């Protein structure tokens, strides 16, 4: 992917909204009692293609990431990926989208997406539940990715990410390097090293 291609993406993840009722995985999983997760995880082996799901035209990354997770899960369990249709992704996005008051762009709040995914599904694919994982607990992050087939996360991307083939924090909190200065983006984590 070229930097020009990256800059053309519509991000779409709106600011975080929390709900005190959201399950916290750390309350239910004690990583010290689990076998260690593998040193590396890659659930992409049987996924031949990652469709854009219109994320190059509209800010539906929150639902596109859900579609990508469905592909990874079905590929890992069946050996072949089920590709959700773009129309199913757009239908789900229509249920949860809102307009960012600062930019005027359409996007969605990840919590709203998760609740809708559980209640209505993306395509015919519903999740039974979801839980939050603290990014500060690296052992739990790895265990969660391994146990549940990936993570659905939001990124606060800086403008500097537009020139990076692999998004990496520069260590600065100012100017174009300030997290979120480009916008929010939802992605699926279906592997780690």
């Amino acid at each position: 992917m070229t930097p020009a291609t990256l800059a053309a993406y519509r991000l779409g993840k709106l600011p975080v909204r929390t709900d005190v009722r959201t399950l916290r995985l750390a309350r239910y999983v004690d990583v010290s009692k689990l076998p260690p997760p593998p040193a590396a995880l890659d659930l992409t082996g049987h996924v031949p293609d990652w469709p854009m799901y219109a994320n190059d035209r509209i800010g539906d990354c929150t639902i596109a990431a859900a579609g990508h997770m469905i592909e990874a899960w079905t590929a890992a369990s069946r050996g072949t990926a089920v590709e959700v249709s773009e129309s199913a992704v757009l239908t789900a996005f229509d249920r949860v989208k809102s307009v960012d008051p600062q930019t005027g762009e359409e996007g969605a709040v990840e919590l709203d997406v998760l609740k809708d995914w559980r209640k209505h599904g993306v395509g015919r694919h519903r999740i039974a539940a979801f839980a939050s994982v603290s990014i500060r607990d690296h052992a739990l992050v790895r265990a969660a990715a391994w146990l549940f087939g990936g993570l659905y996360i939001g990124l606060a991307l800086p403008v500097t990410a537009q020139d990076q083939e692999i998004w990496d924090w520069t260590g600065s909190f100012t100017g174009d390097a300030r997290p979120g200065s480009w916008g929010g983006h939802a992605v699926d984590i279906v592997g780690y090293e």
Side-chain angles (χ1 to χ4, degrees):
M1 220 174 297
T2 67
T5 304
L6 289 173
Y9 284 166
R10 301 288 181 231
L11 297 180
K13 185 197 83 63
L14 297 181
V16 173
R17 184 179 312 131
T18 59
D19 184 332
V20 296
R21 297 170 296 179
T22 300
L23 302 175
R24 299 189 192 296
L25 191 62
R27 293 188 68 195
Y28 304 96
V29 174
D30 181 351
V31 293
S32 70
K33 298 195 185 320
L34 293 174
L41 178 71
D42 182 4
L43 302 174
T44 65
H46 295 290
V47 180
D49 185 40
W50 300 98
M52 285 300 297
Y53 291 130
N55 193 217
D56 53 345
R57 300 185 310 273
I58 61 174
D60 69 342
C61 62
T62 51
I63 302 289
H68 292 152
M69 291 197 81
I70 292 163
E71 283 187 88
W73 290 333
T74 56
S77 66
R78 299 168 48 169
T80 58
V82 170
E83 189 173 303
V84 178
S85 71
E86 185 173 289
S87 65
V89 168
L90 294 175
T91 297
F93 183 60
D94 282 342
R95 288 192 303 262
V96 295
K97 73 180 175 185
S98 61
V99 177
D100 184 332
Q102 293 179 332
T103 66
E105 291 188 24
E106 292 179 332
V109 173
E110 288 182 321
L111 181 61
D112 295 343
V113 171
L114 290 165
K115 289 177 178 180
D116 185 79
W117 191 2
R118 185 186 64 210
K119 185 174 183 178
H120 300 287
V122 177
R124 295 183 318 272
H125 303 273
R126 293 174 48 189
I127 56 174
F130 57 90
S132 66
V133 179
S134 171
I135 60 170
R136 290 171 181 77
D137 189 341
H138 292 202
L140 187 58
V141 167
R142 283 180 180 249
W146 171 54
L147 290 170
F148 300 108
L151 300 168
Y152 173 79
I153 70 166
L155 305 173
L157 292 175
V159 170
T160 55
Q162 293 176 357
D163 296 324
Q164 298 172 346
E165 190 162 320
I166 296 174
W167 294 332
D168 195 11
W169 182 48
T170 63
S172 174
F173 284 101
T174 61
D176 285 351
R178 182 179 48 81
S181 58
W182 182 17
H185 191 50
V187 297
D188 60 309
I189 303 297
V190 290
Y192 62 77
E193 298 180 350

